[in-house]
Amino acid sequence: MTKERQAEPLATRPNIIYIMSDDHAIRALSAYNSDIAHLAPTPNIDRIAQNGARFDQSFVTNSLCGPSRAAMLTGKFGHKNGFNHNGQLFDGFQPTWPRLLKAHGYTTACIGKWHINLTPDGIDFDHWEVLNDQGEYYNPDFITAQGVKREHGYTTELITQKSLRWLEEQQQSDQPFALLLHHKAPHRNWMPAPQHMRAFEHTTFPVPDNYFDTYEGRAAAAMQTMTIYRDAQEGHDLKMTKGVGETEWREDIWPFLLARLTPEQRQAWDEAYQDRNDWFNANEATMTAEEIAIWKYQRYLQDYLATIKSVDESVGEVLDYLEANGLADNTIVVYTSDQGFYMGEHGWFDKRFMYEESFRAPLLIQYPNRIKPGTVVEHLVQNIDYAPTFLEYAGLDVPADIQGESMVPLLDGESPADWRQSLYYHFYEYPAMHDVTRHYGTRDSRYKLMHFYYDIDEWEFYDIEEDPTEMNNAINDPRYQHEIARLKAEIGKLEAKYDVPPREEWVNLPLEYEPAPTLEELFPESYQVACQ
């Protein structure tokens, strides 16, 4: 139902700063008290949880960058907003929370990674500067309505500088603002800033107990190609070189990213990694396969967590700016990621699966005028809930077709009797990179049921309380048949609630990629200049 309300005066409406990183695992935020928190803390991101709320049961609808972003913008599942997998075109002219805020007096901006189209057409931002597709860690191309410009520097820092500059410009306005500050980091290929390249050089991170998972009883997990020690590119992902004293990377199917570094940047990069790479190259022949696999795990985490250090610094700069300029109390600051990520669990990097590590996403929100410091929310929330929450805080009606629920009551400390008791998930992108087959499922406060389909037909069931690492597929366990039957029925109820198309329409549906204009076609003159 549409929530009717009297629009609040513009002067009293809260500002919104929506900070989203890419592929940030919950274990990589010290606010969640993970086992690596003391080794790689995130003190500035943690400030949001201390000042406001931490959500402990926050999930996505589809653990993939583009579909997750579309769900967050629209408050709808992919089958409703038209974006189920990467490579589709997102209809930016449909209702989204930034577009609705703009229509009701907000000044809006998006700075950083966009990644659901080349440009944010239809969203009607007052200002936008977005990275080209995935973006690059060094010397990135920024796209604006005027064209393409390559800028020198480290991308996380450039996004932060641009965002603070835009916030400073809003000081002269009496309109509330909404800023979408989107980082590329810590997305693959995890290239740290110069000052952080050696941050974890001497840190040994705990290896997950299931790092050498054999995937017994889990056919879909056995099919994937996202295992760190088998599938990560030794050059592109792990920055391994071809021999002692050499600087040329091993396998790298995207060499243009490293080629963006200036000679000075490349020299600093090579110097930072030389000793570690030389040690490995000198010892590789005598190392066991297990020792090499663990070495690769350590290299992956060292770089992944080092890129997050720059994100944490960025959040600190934004929070400091708000406090220094008297904006903190009436500004909603959100920190989240487009999904979770694997940090060696099951041997993996990447996301896609409905297993906890990629299904769960961090969510921290501060709003001093409304949210009590240190609030912890245990209710099941999903990224379709963001849009109605922002609209309610802004005093606007929530459109009736939004499928999410406003989290405002939860942030007020309430426990609504009619709050959802289960979640629906659906992953569509297969066959595609990493070979994670299509699946859908549901999760409640304790149990999870998934159905892998398309070229296999496999069900998986987990008691998350008894088996938190999801190693034992209990689909045939007699003890759980009642719960399995209940969750199968629950999937049917959720599909009806969210108006999921009949299964015969999507079970064998091929992936469809819609042709989109290239950057060179959109901005031929500035593109040529940027690429020189």
Side-chain angles (χ1 to χ4, degrees), residues 281-334:
N281 288 324
N283 290 278
E284 181 179 13
T286 60
M287 295 171 70
T288 66
E290 180 175 324
E291 288 171 334
I292 292 173
I294 292 174
W295 188 93
K296 288 183 175 182
Y297 163 80
Q298 296 294 343
R299 167 59 60 87
Y300 161 52
L301 252 64
Q302 288 166 2
D303 286 348
Y304 176 85
L305 293 164
T307 66
I308 291 171
K309 285 185 70 67
S310 293
V311 175
D312 186 68
E313 290 168 349
S314 170
V315 171
E317 290 185 59
V318 171
L319 295 178
D320 289 347
Y321 177 87
L322 295 177
E323 292 167 5
N325 289 276
L327 295 170
D329 287 350
N330 199 41
T331 299
I332 299 167
V333 180
V334 178

Side-chain angles (χ1 to χ4, degrees), residues 47-63:
R47 286 165 61 185
I48 301 176
Q50 295 157 4
N51 296 337
R54 185 190 76 207
F55 287 77
D56 283 358
Q57 299 294 325
S58 171
F59 297 85
V60 297
T61 59
N62 182 342
S63 185

Side-chain angles (χ1 to χ4, degrees), residues 16 18-20 32 55 57-61 68-69 71-76 96-98 101 182 332 334-339 359-365 381-393 398 402-408 411 419-420:
I16 300 172
Y18 176 82
I19 306 172
M20 184 165 69
Y32 283 93
F55 287 77
Q57 299 294 325
S58 171
F59 297 85
V60 297
T61 59
S68 185
R69 292 163 189 269
M72 292 176 180
L73 286 167
T74 63
K76 302 173 186 176
T96 57
W97 64 265
L101 291 182
H182 289 185
I332 299 167
V334 178
Y335 186 84
T336 188
S337 180
D338 48 359
Q339 64 266 316
F359 186 26
R360 284 183 71 198
L363 178 60
L364 310 172
I365 304 178
V381 302
Q382 212 159 9
N383 52 1
I384 53 173
D385 298 332
Y386 299 3
T389 302
F390 300 150
L391 293 174
E392 181 169 348
Y393 271 139
V398 177
I402 279 186
Q403 295 178 307
E405 298 291 334
S406 171
M407 300 181 292
V408 170
L411 291 164
W419 192 260
R420 71 166 65 87

Side-chain angles (χ1 to χ4, degrees), residues 338-475:
D338 48 359
Q339 64 266 316
F341 210 66
Y342 293 96
M343 299 175 64
E345 301 91 353
H346 305 286
W348 297 338
F349 65 96
D350 208 68
K351 55 260 186 176
R352 290 170 167 78
F353 279 109
M354 194 186 169
Y355 301 124
E356 291 291 281
E357 291 84 3
S358 54
F359 186 26
R360 284 183 71 198
L363 178 60
L364 310 172
I365 304 178
Q366 73 172 51
Y367 179 14
N369 277 351
R370 286 284 300 270
I371 302 172
K372 183 179 178 181
T375 296
V376 177
V377 180
E378 297 286 356
H379 293 75
L380 296 172
V381 302
Q382 212 159 9
N383 52 1
I384 53 173
D385 298 332
Y386 299 3
T389 302
F390 300 150
L391 293 174
E392 181 169 348
Y393 271 139
L396 303 180
D397 294 340
V398 177
D401 62 347
I402 279 186
Q403 295 178 307
E405 298 291 334
S406 171
M407 300 181 292
V408 170
L410 308 181
L411 291 164
D412 285 344
E414 300 174 14
S415 184
D418 60 350
W419 192 260
R420 71 166 65 87
Q421 299 300 307
S422 62
L423 303 164
Y424 180 73
Y425 178 91
H426 201 141
F427 176 80
Y428 297 87
E429 190 170 297
Y430 178 84
M433 181 178 289
H434 297 308
D435 297 310
V436 175
T437 194
R438 303 181 198 185
H439 58 291
Y440 60 89
T442 187
R443 183 203 194 278
D444 62 17
S445 61
R446 176 168 177 172
Y447 302 109
K448 181 186 296 182
L449 180 69
M450 298 183 281
H451 183 209
F452 293 90
Y453 66 93
Y454 195 69
D455 58 357
I456 66 173
D457 183 7
E458 300 282 344
W459 289 86
E460 295 185 12
F461 173 85
Y462 297 96
D463 181 339
I464 299 167
E465 185 176 297
E466 297 293 327
D467 180 23
T469 58
E470 296 168 293
M471 294 291 288
N472 175 36
N473 176 14
I475 194 65

